[in-house]
Amino acid sequence: MESVRIKSYAKLNLTLNITGVKDGFHLLDSIVTSVDLYDLVVLKKRRDKLVSVFMHGCGSESIAFEDNNAVKAAELFINNYGTDGADITIYKNIPMGLGAGGSSADSAGVLNGLSKLYGICDPIGLKLLADKTGSDTRYMLSGGYARLSGRGNEVKPVDSALKLDFLLLAPKERISTAQCFKTFDETGDFCGCGSQQTEEALKRNDKYSLSLNNALASAAKKLSKDIQTAYDELSAFDPLSVNMTGSGSGVYAVFENAEYCAYALSRYRGRFTPYRLKTHFPKKK
């Protein structure tokens, strides 16, 4: 095998709770799901140990080589397994700064792609490498419904066949994750609400009992008026719920069915880019 193509999917946080701080890092309790928005990662074998990464789309061309987590993931893999390098091209569809895990998706796509390219089957080793590239990357290796804890690197899959329909709005103004957490620390209360109820609802395939929340939403609204505007615009369609993903700036609504979600998209007249999304179920290995 000389080349592989990997679809690496975005995620949405259905819940995001802050349960404490340890060693300077916030501890999370979060329910996440994959959605059908993905970056395409194309990898080709090299005959040396070098790595090249070319980014296309969503303004990703401006990412410096040394700041690119996809580069870090590739170098970690090659150093750990002693393989040759790869020429990697990433075609981005997941907007940056949205809270949808785009950077982690690229890192996971590179790790999964190199593993397939060089015929290495080591799920545990791959997860350990993923932890070194970002807190969400371990989850992004497999995706699906899951409950994340710790720094986001403790992953418990949630067995559910629930299909959800989302309308995601993407404000152009990005929010600094570090600044969002800092603002939360200054104004927020640690909480652990929503995740248990949401996990139980997912297991019952009950969309009406989901308890969606994001502890960082209030902090994000203080940093960007666009967040509140997105909440207001989506709430006007009377969806089942409106929530923010990650530390922003993406805000999404969950609709009762695909038809109503399509209707909302057709009637949206705001200034943010809308994305109609649905739950993505990864293939079982």
Side-chain angles (χ1 to χ4, degrees):
M1 184 179 295
E2 294 298 314
S3 66
V4 297
R5 298 161 66 89
I6 301 289
K7 293 179 180 179
S8 202
Y9 290 85
K11 60 84 179 171
L12 295 179
N13 294 84
L14 301 183
T15 68
L16 196 163
N17 302 301
I18 311 296
T19 60
V21 177
K22 182 178 180 181
D23 299 328
F25 293 98
H26 290 83
L27 301 179
L28 310 179
D29 179 19
S30 179
I31 303 288
V32 291
T33 182
S34 300
V35 291
D36 60 341
L37 176 66
Y38 62 84
D39 288 348
L40 179 64
V41 184
V42 181
L43 307 95
K44 297 181 180 180
K45 278 184 179 178
R46 292 182 63 100
R47 302 305 177 201
D48 52 35
K49 301 290 184 180
L50 300 179
V51 173
S52 69
V53 176
F54 298 95
M55 309 291 293
H56 298 280
C58 297
S60 60
E61 296 85 355
S62 63
I63 301 174
F65 185 84
E66 61 272 13
D67 296 331
N68 195 328
N69 275 348
V71 175
K72 183 177 181 180
E75 292 176 342
L76 283 168
F77 185 97
I78 293 164
N79 292 335
N80 188 71
Y81 293 109
T83 65
D84 284 338
D87 293 320
I88 302 169
T89 304
I90 299 176
Y91 299 93
K92 285 200 69 64
N93 298 297
I94 306 171
M96 298 188 296
L98 197 63
S103 176
S104 296
D106 295 341
S107 297
V110 166
L111 292 174
N112 280 329
L114 287 172
S115 181
K116 186 175 181 180
L117 189 66
Y118 285 105
I120 293 173
C121 183
D122 182 14
I124 295 177
L126 220 57
K127 290 175 182 178
L128 294 175
L129 292 181
D131 290 343
K132 297 179 180 179
T133 69
S135 58
D136 287 336
T137 310
R138 176 183 283 239
Y139 159 72
M140 301 295 258
L141 287 172
S142 53
Y145 283 116
R147 187 168 181 173
L148 311 184
S149 55
R151 293 172 55 189
N153 59 343
E154 298 173 23
V155 182
K156 183 181 81 170
V158 176
D159 187 16
S160 177
L162 183 60
K163 298 178 181 179
L164 295 175
D165 294 280
F166 306 94
L167 183 60
L168 172 70
L169 298 184
K172 291 184 178 180
E173 183 179 4
R174 297 181 187 176
I175 295 176
S176 162
T177 298
Q179 186 61 47
C180 192
F181 274 102
K182 181 181 179 183
T183 302
F184 170 83
D185 289 338
E186 294 169 350
T187 61
D189 295 321
F190 292 121
C191 65
C193 56
S195 291
Q196 187 60 36
Q197 180 179 337
T198 296
E199 180 179 350
E200 293 170 0
L202 288 173
K203 290 178 178 178
R204 298 193 306 270
N205 298 321
D206 178 7
K207 70 179 69 176
Y208 301 101
S209 297
L210 296 172
S211 179
L212 307 192
N213 71 89
N214 189 323
L216 296 174
S218 293
K221 290 175 183 178
K222 293 179 185 296
L223 296 171
S224 172
K225 294 181 179 179
D226 285 351
I227 301 297
Q228 185 62 62
T229 300
Y231 265 85
D232 293 341
E233 290 180 346
L234 289 172
S235 296
F237 291 107
D238 195 24
L240 294 178
S241 187
V242 178
N243 196 25
M244 186 180 79
T245 183
S247 58
S249 59
V251 178
Y252 65 87
V254 180
F255 287 89
E256 189 167 2
N257 53 51
E259 291 75 20
Y260 193 14
C261 188
Y263 170 83
L265 175 62
S266 71
R267 293 297 187 270
Y268 178 68
R269 297 294 184 269
R271 57 190 175 87
F272 306 135
T273 302
Y275 294 84
R276 182 185 168 194
L277 306 173
K278 59 184 178 181
T279 311
H280 171 74
F281 296 95
K283 295 180 180 179
K284 294 184 178 181
K285 298 180 180 180

